[in-house]
Amino acid sequence: MGFDRMGHDYSYIARNCERAVVTAYRELRDVGTNDFSAFGACTSLYRIHHPEATVTEARRLVAEWIDHHVVRVDPGPTPGCDCD
């Protein structure tokens, strides 16, 4: 199933990198990591999936995904990378 260890369902997120970033951000915040550190870790995680991305691109996408999935809790599709 698409549930992470904290019970959040992210199976509707089609891109593997997007799902990984959102799950990592949620889990880091759930265990008390501050927003800035969680964001930085997720930016690094995105760049592991997409080493061709600039830091600026990675930060923009990670911020969009966190805003979309975590802040607004919108299950709809997001703009982003072209991977699966």
Side-chain angles (χ1 to χ4, degrees), residues 17-65:
C17 58
E18 183 174 357
R19 189 176 324 108
V21 163
V22 172
T23 299
Y25 181 82
R26 276 275 201 204
E27 289 185 2
L28 286 166
R29 296 293 286 148
D30 286 346
V31 298
T33 304
N34 69 56
D35 179 62
F36 185 76
S37 295
F39 179 78
C42 290
T43 300
S44 295
L45 178 61
Y46 177 80
R47 292 195 73 216
I48 289 168
H49 282 266
H50 291 282
E52 76 283 0
T54 66
V55 172
T56 302
E57 281 179 317
R59 287 179 179 153
R60 181 186 57 80
L61 276 175
V62 168
E64 286 179 11
W65 291 343

mmCIF file of all heavy atoms in Angstrom, residues 17-65:
data_model
loop_
_atom_site.group_PDB
_atom_site.id
_atom_site.type_symbol
_atom_site.label_atom_id
_atom_site.label_comp_id
_atom_site.label_asym_id
_atom_site.label_seq_id
_atom_site.Cartn_x
_atom_site.Cartn_y
_atom_site.Cartn_z
ATOM 1 N N CYS A 17 10.472 10.467 -7.107
ATOM 2 C CA CYS A 17 11.272 11.474 -6.410
ATOM 3 C C CYS A 17 10.375 12.409 -5.595
ATOM 4 O O CYS A 17 10.706 12.770 -4.464
ATOM 5 C CB CYS A 17 12.148 12.257 -7.379
ATOM 6 S SG CYS A 17 11.256 13.102 -8.678
ATOM 7 N N GLU A 18 9.226 12.750 -6.128
ATOM 8 C CA GLU A 18 8.291 13.622 -5.412
ATOM 9 C C GLU A 18 7.756 12.914 -4.160
ATOM 10 O O GLU A 18 7.698 13.495 -3.077
ATOM 11 C CB GLU A 18 7.143 14.009 -6.331
ATOM 12 C CG GLU A 18 6.156 14.970 -5.737
ATOM 13 C CD GLU A 18 5.114 15.429 -6.736
ATOM 14 O OE1 GLU A 18 5.180 15.049 -7.924
ATOM 15 O OE2 GLU A 18 4.205 16.173 -6.322
ATOM 16 N N ARG A 19 7.386 11.653 -4.309
ATOM 17 C CA ARG A 19 6.899 10.875 -3.165
ATOM 18 C C ARG A 19 7.986 10.764 -2.098
ATOM 19 O O ARG A 19 7.729 10.902 -0.907
ATOM 20 C CB ARG A 19 6.434 9.491 -3.612
ATOM 21 C CG ARG A 19 5.729 8.713 -2.514
ATOM 22 C CD ARG A 19 5.175 7.366 -2.965
ATOM 23 N NE ARG A 19 4.650 7.349 -4.311
ATOM 24 C CZ ARG A 19 5.238 6.747 -5.353
ATOM 25 N NH1 ARG A 19 6.370 6.077 -5.191
ATOM 26 N NH2 ARG A 19 4.684 6.782 -6.544
ATOM 27 N N ALA A 20 9.219 10.505 -2.525
ATOM 28 C CA ALA A 20 10.338 10.379 -1.578
ATOM 29 C C ALA A 20 10.568 11.688 -0.825
ATOM 30 O O ALA A 20 10.775 11.684 0.396
ATOM 31 C CB ALA A 20 11.609 9.960 -2.321
ATOM 32 N N VAL A 21 10.526 12.799 -1.536
ATOM 33 C CA VAL A 21 10.741 14.112 -0.912
ATOM 34 C C VAL A 21 9.644 14.419 0.099
ATOM 35 O O VAL A 21 9.919 14.819 1.236
ATOM 36 C CB VAL A 21 10.821 15.215 -1.999
ATOM 37 C CG1 VAL A 21 10.617 16.602 -1.418
ATOM 38 C CG2 VAL A 21 12.154 15.135 -2.730
ATOM 39 N N VAL A 22 8.391 14.232 -0.281
ATOM 40 C CA VAL A 22 7.278 14.549 0.618
ATOM 41 C C VAL A 22 7.285 13.632 1.846
ATOM 42 O O VAL A 22 7.094 14.087 2.976
ATOM 43 C CB VAL A 22 5.927 14.470 -0.141
ATOM 44 C CG1 VAL A 22 4.750 14.596 0.807
ATOM 45 C CG2 VAL A 22 5.866 15.543 -1.221
ATOM 46 N N THR A 23 7.538 12.355 1.634
ATOM 47 C CA THR A 23 7.597 11.413 2.749
ATOM 48 C C THR A 23 8.739 11.772 3.694
ATOM 49 O O THR A 23 8.561 11.798 4.920
ATOM 50 C CB THR A 23 7.760 9.971 2.231
ATOM 51 O OG1 THR A 23 6.630 9.657 1.416
ATOM 52 C CG2 THR A 23 7.854 8.977 3.370
ATOM 53 N N ALA A 24 9.905 12.057 3.147
ATOM 54 C CA ALA A 24 11.059 12.415 3.975
ATOM 55 C C ALA A 24 10.785 13.693 4.764
ATOM 56 O O ALA A 24 11.079 13.766 5.971
ATOM 57 C CB ALA A 24 12.299 12.585 3.109
ATOM 58 N N TYR A 25 10.218 14.689 4.110
ATOM 59 C CA TYR A 25 9.918 15.948 4.808
ATOM 60 C C TYR A 25 8.966 15.703 5.969
ATOM 61 O O TYR A 25 9.211 16.136 7.098
ATOM 62 C CB TYR A 25 9.326 16.975 3.840
ATOM 63 C CG TYR A 25 9.034 18.278 4.520
ATOM 64 C CD1 TYR A 25 10.042 19.221 4.719
ATOM 65 C CD2 TYR A 25 7.763 18.565 5.006
ATOM 66 C CE1 TYR A 25 9.784 20.414 5.371
ATOM 67 C CE2 TYR A 25 7.503 19.752 5.667
ATOM 68 C CZ TYR A 25 8.507 20.668 5.839
ATOM 69 O OH TYR A 25 8.260 21.854 6.504
ATOM 70 N N ARG A 26 7.875 14.988 5.705
ATOM 71 C CA ARG A 26 6.888 14.692 6.762
ATOM 72 C C ARG A 26 7.532 13.928 7.927
ATOM 73 O O ARG A 26 7.299 14.265 9.085
ATOM 74 C CB ARG A 26 5.764 13.826 6.195
ATOM 75 C CG ARG A 26 4.714 14.588 5.515
ATOM 76 C CD ARG A 26 3.725 15.054 6.526
ATOM 77 N NE ARG A 26 2.493 15.352 5.834
ATOM 78 C CZ ARG A 26 1.601 16.181 6.300
ATOM 79 N NH1 ARG A 26 1.793 16.781 7.437
ATOM 80 N NH2 ARG A 26 0.508 16.414 5.638
ATOM 81 N N GLU A 27 8.312 12.917 7.611
ATOM 82 C CA GLU A 27 8.920 12.105 8.664
ATOM 83 C C GLU A 27 9.946 12.902 9.468
ATOM 84 O O GLU A 27 10.009 12.770 10.692
ATOM 85 C CB GLU A 27 9.523 10.837 8.088
ATOM 86 C CG GLU A 27 8.457 9.858 7.628
ATOM 87 C CD GLU A 27 9.003 8.527 7.159
ATOM 88 O OE1 GLU A 27 10.232 8.314 7.223
ATOM 89 O OE2 GLU A 27 8.181 7.692 6.743
ATOM 90 N N LEU A 28 10.727 13.718 8.796
ATOM 91 C CA LEU A 28 11.689 14.550 9.518
ATOM 92 C C LEU A 28 10.973 15.534 10.446
ATOM 93 O O LEU A 28 11.372 15.713 11.598
ATOM 94 C CB LEU A 28 12.593 15.300 8.535
ATOM 95 C CG LEU A 28 13.645 14.438 7.841
ATOM 96 C CD1 LEU A 28 14.245 15.183 6.653
ATOM 97 C CD2 LEU A 28 14.724 14.015 8.824
ATOM 98 N N ARG A 29 9.920 16.164 9.962
ATOM 99 C CA ARG A 29 9.163 17.103 10.793
ATOM 100 C C ARG A 29 8.469 16.380 11.941
ATOM 101 O O ARG A 29 8.408 16.893 13.058
ATOM 102 C CB ARG A 29 8.141 17.863 9.942
ATOM 103 C CG ARG A 29 8.771 18.744 8.877
ATOM 104 C CD ARG A 29 9.558 19.904 9.454
ATOM 105 N NE ARG A 29 8.590 20.867 9.940
ATOM 106 C CZ ARG A 29 8.768 21.659 10.984
ATOM 107 N NH1 ARG A 29 9.893 21.628 11.662
ATOM 108 N NH2 ARG A 29 7.836 22.491 11.365
ATOM 109 N N ASP A 30 7.964 15.163 11.674
ATOM 110 C CA ASP A 30 7.276 14.382 12.709
ATOM 111 C C ASP A 30 8.187 14.025 13.880
ATOM 112 O O ASP A 30 7.714 13.859 14.996
ATOM 113 C CB ASP A 30 6.665 13.107 12.127
ATOM 114 C CG ASP A 30 5.418 13.354 11.300
ATOM 115 O OD1 ASP A 30 4.848 14.472 11.375
ATOM 116 O OD2 ASP A 30 5.003 12.436 10.564
ATOM 117 N N VAL A 31 9.480 13.879 13.608
ATOM 118 C CA VAL A 31 10.416 13.535 14.702
ATOM 119 C C VAL A 31 11.103 14.774 15.281
ATOM 120 O O VAL A 31 12.038 14.643 16.064
ATOM 121 C CB VAL A 31 11.462 12.473 14.266
ATOM 122 C CG1 VAL A 31 10.777 11.175 13.887
ATOM 123 C CG2 VAL A 31 12.366 12.990 13.161
ATOM 124 N N GLY A 32 10.645 15.957 14.899
ATOM 125 C CA GLY A 32 11.137 17.178 15.519
ATOM 126 C C GLY A 32 12.203 17.949 14.782
ATOM 127 O O GLY A 32 12.715 18.945 15.297
ATOM 128 N N THR A 33 12.552 17.530 13.581
ATOM 129 C CA THR A 33 13.534 18.282 12.789
ATOM 130 C C THR A 33 12.923 19.620 12.394
ATOM 131 O O THR A 33 11.768 19.680 11.975
ATOM 132 C CB THR A 33 13.928 17.487 11.532
ATOM 133 O OG1 THR A 33 14.409 16.208 11.928
ATOM 134 C CG2 THR A 33 14.984 18.212 10.719
ATOM 135 N N ASN A 34 13.693 20.690 12.530
ATOM 136 C CA ASN A 34 13.144 22.005 12.169
ATOM 137 C C ASN A 34 12.933 22.104 10.659
ATOM 138 O O ASN A 34 13.514 21.347 9.881
ATOM 139 C CB ASN A 34 14.021 23.144 12.717
ATOM 140 C CG ASN A 34 15.363 23.252 12.033
ATOM 141 O OD1 ASN A 34 15.455 23.396 10.820
ATOM 142 N ND2 ASN A 34 16.425 23.182 12.822
ATOM 143 N N ASP A 35 12.097 23.043 10.281
ATOM 144 C CA ASP A 35 11.701 23.198 8.883
ATOM 145 C C ASP A 35 12.904 23.419 7.963
ATOM 146 O O ASP A 35 13.003 22.790 6.903
ATOM 147 C CB ASP A 35 10.713 24.353 8.750
ATOM 148 C CG ASP A 35 10.282 24.589 7.318
ATOM 149 O OD1 ASP A 35 9.681 23.671 6.726
ATOM 150 O OD2 ASP A 35 10.559 25.681 6.790
ATOM 151 N N PHE A 36 13.808 24.286 8.360
ATOM 152 C CA PHE A 36 14.961 24.613 7.523
ATOM 153 C C PHE A 36 15.827 23.383 7.270
ATOM 154 O O PHE A 36 16.236 23.122 6.133
ATOM 155 C CB PHE A 36 15.785 25.734 8.179
ATOM 156 C CG PHE A 36 16.917 26.209 7.333
ATOM 157 C CD1 PHE A 36 16.704 27.035 6.238
ATOM 158 C CD2 PHE A 36 18.216 25.829 7.626
ATOM 159 C CE1 PHE A 36 17.752 27.467 5.445
ATOM 160 C CE2 PHE A 36 19.277 26.254 6.838
ATOM 161 C CZ PHE A 36 19.044 27.078 5.747
ATOM 162 N N SER A 37 16.093 22.606 8.304
ATOM 163 C CA SER A 37 16.915 21.400 8.156
ATOM 164 C C SER A 37 16.201 20.339 7.323
ATOM 165 O O SER A 37 16.825 19.679 6.485
ATOM 166 C CB SER A 37 17.275 20.827 9.530
ATOM 167 O OG SER A 37 18.095 21.730 10.228
ATOM 168 N N ALA A 38 14.904 20.157 7.558
ATOM 169 C CA ALA A 38 14.133 19.183 6.780
ATOM 170 C C ALA A 38 14.109 19.583 5.306
ATOM 171 O O ALA A 38 14.278 18.739 4.424
ATOM 172 C CB ALA A 38 12.710 19.065 7.335
ATOM 173 N N PHE A 39 13.924 20.865 5.045
ATOM 174 C CA PHE A 39 13.924 21.361 3.667
ATOM 175 C C PHE A 39 15.275 21.113 3.002
ATOM 176 O O PHE A 39 15.338 20.644 1.857
ATOM 177 C CB PHE A 39 13.570 22.853 3.645
ATOM 178 C CG PHE A 39 13.578 23.443 2.271
ATOM 179 C CD1 PHE A 39 12.517 23.243 1.407
ATOM 180 C CD2 PHE A 39 14.657 24.194 1.831
ATOM 181 C CE1 PHE A 39 12.530 23.785 0.125
ATOM 182 C CE2 PHE A 39 14.679 24.738 0.564
ATOM 183 C CZ PHE A 39 13.610 24.540 -0.299
ATOM 184 N N GLY A 40 16.356 21.391 3.718
ATOM 185 C CA GLY A 40 17.697 21.161 3.165
ATOM 186 C C GLY A 40 17.954 19.697 2.862
ATOM 187 O O GLY A 40 18.515 19.353 1.813
ATOM 188 N N ALA A 41 17.527 18.825 3.763
ATOM 189 C CA ALA A 41 17.698 17.386 3.542
ATOM 190 C C ALA A 41 16.902 16.925 2.330
ATOM 191 O O ALA A 41 17.386 16.113 1.529
ATOM 192 C CB ALA A 41 17.271 16.612 4.785
ATOM 193 N N CYS A 42 15.707 17.453 2.184
ATOM 194 C CA CYS A 42 14.863 17.050 1.049
ATOM 195 C C CYS A 42 15.390 17.599 -0.268
ATOM 196 O O CYS A 42 15.264 16.952 -1.311
ATOM 197 C CB CYS A 42 13.425 17.480 1.301
ATOM 198 S SG CYS A 42 12.657 16.514 2.618
ATOM 199 N N THR A 43 15.990 18.765 -0.228
ATOM 200 C CA THR A 43 16.629 19.305 -1.429
ATOM 201 C C THR A 43 17.782 18.392 -1.849
ATOM 202 O O THR A 43 17.930 18.069 -3.033
ATOM 203 C CB THR A 43 17.128 20.743 -1.180
ATOM 204 O OG1 THR A 43 16.009 21.562 -0.835
ATOM 205 C CG2 THR A 43 17.813 21.314 -2.402
ATOM 206 N N SER A 44 18.572 17.950 -0.875
ATOM 207 C CA SER A 44 19.664 17.010 -1.172
ATOM 208 C C SER A 44 19.118 15.697 -1.708
ATOM 209 O O SER A 44 19.677 15.125 -2.650
ATOM 210 C CB SER A 44 20.499 16.756 0.080
ATOM 211 O OG SER A 44 21.140 17.934 0.490
ATOM 212 N N LEU A 45 18.043 15.213 -1.114
ATOM 213 C CA LEU A 45 17.412 13.973 -1.576
ATOM 214 C C LEU A 45 16.957 14.108 -3.025
ATOM 215 O O LEU A 45 17.189 13.213 -3.843
ATOM 216 C CB LEU A 45 16.226 13.611 -0.678
ATOM 217 C CG LEU A 45 15.437 12.364 -1.075
ATOM 218 C CD1 LEU A 45 16.322 11.124 -1.058
ATOM 219 C CD2 LEU A 45 14.244 12.203 -0.135
ATOM 220 N N TYR A 46 16.338 15.222 -3.359
ATOM 221 C CA TYR A 46 15.910 15.443 -4.746
ATOM 222 C C TYR A 46 17.112 15.401 -5.685
ATOM 223 O O TYR A 46 17.065 14.794 -6.755
ATOM 224 C CB TYR A 46 15.182 16.783 -4.894
ATOM 225 C CG TYR A 46 14.809 17.041 -6.336
ATOM 226 C CD1 TYR A 46 13.689 16.446 -6.889
ATOM 227 C CD2 TYR A 46 15.604 17.834 -7.154
ATOM 228 C CE1 TYR A 46 13.369 16.639 -8.228
ATOM 229 C CE2 TYR A 46 15.296 18.031 -8.482
ATOM 230 C CZ TYR A 46 14.170 17.433 -9.021
ATOM 231 O OH TYR A 46 13.866 17.613 -10.343
ATOM 232 N N ARG A 47 18.200 16.012 -5.282
ATOM 233 C CA ARG A 47 19.384 16.051 -6.134
ATOM 234 C C ARG A 47 20.048 14.689 -6.271
ATOM 235 O O ARG A 47 20.755 14.440 -7.248
ATOM 236 C CB ARG A 47 20.370 17.100 -5.648
ATOM 237 C CG ARG A 47 19.752 18.510 -5.857
ATOM 238 C CD ARG A 47 20.722 19.616 -5.758
ATOM 239 N NE ARG A 47 21.571 19.617 -6.948
ATOM 240 C CZ ARG A 47 22.858 19.928 -6.917
ATOM 241 N NH1 ARG A 47 23.452 20.234 -5.788
ATOM 242 N NH2 ARG A 47 23.558 19.931 -8.030
ATOM 243 N N ILE A 48 19.822 13.785 -5.331
ATOM 244 C CA ILE A 48 20.290 12.412 -5.489
ATOM 245 C C ILE A 48 19.512 11.745 -6.617
ATOM 246 O O ILE A 48 20.081 11.052 -7.452
ATOM 247 C CB ILE A 48 20.162 11.624 -4.171
ATOM 248 C CG1 ILE A 48 21.192 12.133 -3.163
ATOM 249 C CG2 ILE A 48 20.308 10.122 -4.406
ATOM 250 C CD1 ILE A 48 20.986 11.638 -1.752
ATOM 251 N N HIS A 49 18.208 11.970 -6.651
ATOM 252 C CA HIS A 49 17.367 11.448 -7.732
ATOM 253 C C HIS A 49 17.669 12.148 -9.059
ATOM 254 O O HIS A 49 17.539 11.551 -10.119
ATOM 255 C CB HIS A 49 15.873 11.644 -7.413
ATOM 256 C CG HIS A 49 15.310 10.660 -6.459
ATOM 257 N ND1 HIS A 49 14.675 9.512 -6.861
ATOM 258 C CD2 HIS A 49 15.272 10.647 -5.107
ATOM 259 C CE1 HIS A 49 14.269 8.840 -5.800
ATOM 260 N NE2 HIS A 49 14.630 9.506 -4.728
ATOM 261 N N HIS A 50 18.013 13.434 -8.985
ATOM 262 C CA HIS A 50 18.243 14.254 -10.182
ATOM 263 C C HIS A 50 19.538 15.051 -10.050
ATOM 264 O O HIS A 50 19.511 16.257 -9.810
ATOM 265 C CB HIS A 50 17.067 15.210 -10.397
ATOM 266 C CG HIS A 50 15.820 14.522 -10.791
ATOM 267 N ND1 HIS A 50 15.588 14.074 -12.069
ATOM 268 C CD2 HIS A 50 14.737 14.171 -10.065
ATOM 269 C CE1 HIS A 50 14.407 13.486 -12.115
ATOM 270 N NE2 HIS A 50 13.869 13.520 -10.913
ATOM 271 N N PRO A 51 20.679 14.390 -10.220
ATOM 272 C CA PRO A 51 21.949 15.106 -10.078
ATOM 273 C C PRO A 51 22.155 16.198 -11.131
ATOM 274 O O PRO A 51 22.985 17.090 -10.932
ATOM 275 C CB PRO A 51 23.005 13.998 -10.215
ATOM 276 C CG PRO A 51 22.309 12.872 -10.879
ATOM 277 C CD PRO A 51 20.861 12.978 -10.523
ATOM 278 N N GLU A 52 21.389 16.148 -12.193
ATOM 279 C CA GLU A 52 21.495 17.168 -13.238
ATOM 280 C C GLU A 52 20.845 18.489 -12.827
ATOM 281 O O GLU A 52 21.081 19.537 -13.439
ATOM 282 C CB GLU A 52 20.873 16.665 -14.548
ATOM 283 C CG GLU A 52 19.346 16.660 -14.588
ATOM 284 C CD GLU A 52 18.665 15.518 -13.833
ATOM 285 O OE1 GLU A 52 19.347 14.663 -13.231
ATOM 286 O OE2 GLU A 52 17.426 15.497 -13.839
ATOM 287 N N ALA A 53 20.015 18.464 -11.792
ATOM 288 C CA ALA A 53 19.296 19.664 -11.341
ATOM 289 C C ALA A 53 20.235 20.599 -10.594
ATOM 290 O O ALA A 53 21.095 20.165 -9.825
ATOM 291 C CB ALA A 53 18.131 19.279 -10.441
ATOM 292 N N THR A 54 20.046 21.883 -10.812
ATOM 293 C CA THR A 54 20.794 22.869 -10.036
ATOM 294 C C THR A 54 20.193 22.942 -8.630
ATOM 295 O O THR A 54 19.061 22.504 -8.409
ATOM 296 C CB THR A 54 20.723 24.264 -10.678
ATOM 297 O OG1 THR A 54 19.370 24.727 -10.614
ATOM 298 C CG2 THR A 54 21.209 24.245 -12.129
ATOM 299 N N VAL A 55 20.948 23.518 -7.719
ATOM 300 C CA VAL A 55 20.439 23.697 -6.361
ATOM 301 C C VAL A 55 19.185 24.570 -6.395
ATOM 302 O O VAL A 55 18.193 24.298 -5.707
ATOM 303 C CB VAL A 55 21.514 24.301 -5.432
ATOM 304 C CG1 VAL A 55 20.935 24.664 -4.079
ATOM 305 C CG2 VAL A 55 22.675 23.339 -5.272
ATOM 306 N N THR A 56 19.195 25.594 -7.221
ATOM 307 C CA THR A 56 18.039 26.492 -7.334
ATOM 308 C C THR A 56 16.806 25.747 -7.838
ATOM 309 O O THR A 56 15.714 25.905 -7.287
ATOM 310 C CB THR A 56 18.363 27.678 -8.266
ATOM 311 O OG1 THR A 56 19.495 28.365 -7.724
ATOM 312 C CG2 THR A 56 17.193 28.628 -8.400
ATOM 313 N N GLU A 57 16.982 24.926 -8.877
ATOM 314 C CA GLU A 57 15.855 24.118 -9.380
ATOM 315 C C GLU A 57 15.331 23.181 -8.301
ATOM 316 O O GLU A 57 14.116 23.058 -8.122
ATOM 317 C CB GLU A 57 16.307 23.249 -10.561
ATOM 318 C CG GLU A 57 16.415 23.930 -11.872
ATOM 319 C CD GLU A 57 16.900 22.954 -12.945
ATOM 320 O OE1 GLU A 57 17.825 22.158 -12.674
ATOM 321 O OE2 GLU A 57 16.327 22.995 -14.033
ATOM 322 N N ALA A 58 16.233 22.510 -7.615
ATOM 323 C CA ALA A 58 15.843 21.564 -6.570
ATOM 324 C C ALA A 58 15.077 22.279 -5.468
ATOM 325 O O ALA A 58 14.031 21.802 -5.021
ATOM 326 C CB ALA A 58 17.076 20.854 -6.014
ATOM 327 N N ARG A 59 15.569 23.407 -5.024
ATOM 328 C CA ARG A 59 14.885 24.156 -3.965
ATOM 329 C C ARG A 59 13.493 24.583 -4.398
ATOM 330 O O ARG A 59 12.547 24.507 -3.617
ATOM 331 C CB ARG A 59 15.712 25.377 -3.567
ATOM 332 C CG ARG A 59 16.929 25.036 -2.765
ATOM 333 C CD ARG A 59 17.721 26.282 -2.431
ATOM 334 N NE ARG A 59 18.887 25.941 -1.636
ATOM 335 C CZ ARG A 59 19.996 26.645 -1.624
ATOM 336 N NH1 ARG A 59 20.094 27.749 -2.356
ATOM 337 N NH2 ARG A 59 21.014 26.272 -0.883
ATOM 338 N N ARG A 60 13.365 25.051 -5.627
ATOM 339 C CA ARG A 60 12.062 25.492 -6.128
ATOM 340 C C ARG A 60 11.066 24.347 -6.151
ATOM 341 O O ARG A 60 9.940 24.477 -5.652
ATOM 342 C CB ARG A 60 12.195 26.088 -7.532
ATOM 343 C CG ARG A 60 10.860 26.601 -8.101
ATOM 344 C CD ARG A 60 10.978 27.047 -9.548
ATOM 345 N NE ARG A 60 11.478 26.011 -10.434
ATOM 346 C CZ ARG A 60 10.736 25.021 -10.935
ATOM 347 N NH1 ARG A 60 9.474 24.919 -10.621
ATOM 348 N NH2 ARG A 60 11.275 24.128 -11.751
ATOM 349 N N LEU A 61 11.478 23.197 -6.710
ATOM 350 C CA LEU A 61 10.562 22.049 -6.775
ATOM 351 C C LEU A 61 10.208 21.516 -5.400
ATOM 352 O O LEU A 61 9.037 21.233 -5.121
ATOM 353 C CB LEU A 61 11.177 20.930 -7.614
ATOM 354 C CG LEU A 61 10.981 21.036 -9.108
ATOM 355 C CD1 LEU A 61 11.748 19.939 -9.818
ATOM 356 C CD2 LEU A 61 9.520 20.975 -9.460
ATOM 357 N N VAL A 62 11.194 21.383 -4.533
ATOM 358 C CA VAL A 62 10.932 20.876 -3.187
ATOM 359 C C VAL A 62 9.971 21.825 -2.465
ATOM 360 O O VAL A 62 9.017 21.379 -1.819
ATOM 361 C CB VAL A 62 12.242 20.675 -2.397
ATOM 362 C CG1 VAL A 62 11.979 20.432 -0.923
ATOM 363 C CG2 VAL A 62 13.034 19.512 -2.998
ATOM 364 N N ALA A 63 10.188 23.123 -2.587
ATOM 365 C CA ALA A 63 9.282 24.093 -1.947
ATOM 366 C C ALA A 63 7.866 23.965 -2.507
ATOM 367 O O ALA A 63 6.886 23.986 -1.745
ATOM 368 C CB ALA A 63 9.805 25.515 -2.144
ATOM 369 N N GLU A 64 7.737 23.824 -3.831
ATOM 370 C CA GLU A 64 6.412 23.660 -4.446
ATOM 371 C C GLU A 64 5.734 22.396 -3.946
ATOM 372 O O GLU A 64 4.540 22.400 -3.632
ATOM 373 C CB GLU A 64 6.530 23.604 -5.971
ATOM 374 C CG GLU A 64 6.805 24.932 -6.610
ATOM 375 C CD GLU A 64 6.949 24.833 -8.127
ATOM 376 O OE1 GLU A 64 6.638 23.772 -8.717
ATOM 377 O OE2 GLU A 64 7.373 25.836 -8.728
ATOM 378 N N TRP A 65 6.478 21.294 -3.887
ATOM 379 C CA TRP A 65 5.893 20.021 -3.453
ATOM 380 C C TRP A 65 5.482 20.053 -1.996
ATOM 381 O O TRP A 65 4.417 19.550 -1.629
ATOM 382 C CB TRP A 65 6.854 18.877 -3.729
ATOM 383 C CG TRP A 65 7.047 18.592 -5.185
ATOM 384 C CD1 TRP A 65 6.255 18.992 -6.234
ATOM 385 C CD2 TRP A 65 8.101 17.838 -5.765
ATOM 386 N NE1 TRP A 65 6.768 18.529 -7.420
ATOM 387 C CE2 TRP A 65 7.899 17.813 -7.162
ATOM 388 C CE3 TRP A 65 9.207 17.190 -5.243
ATOM 389 C CZ2 TRP A 65 8.752 17.145 -8.033
ATOM 390 C CZ3 TRP A 65 10.062 16.529 -6.110
ATOM 391 C CH2 TRP A 65 9.837 16.501 -7.494
#
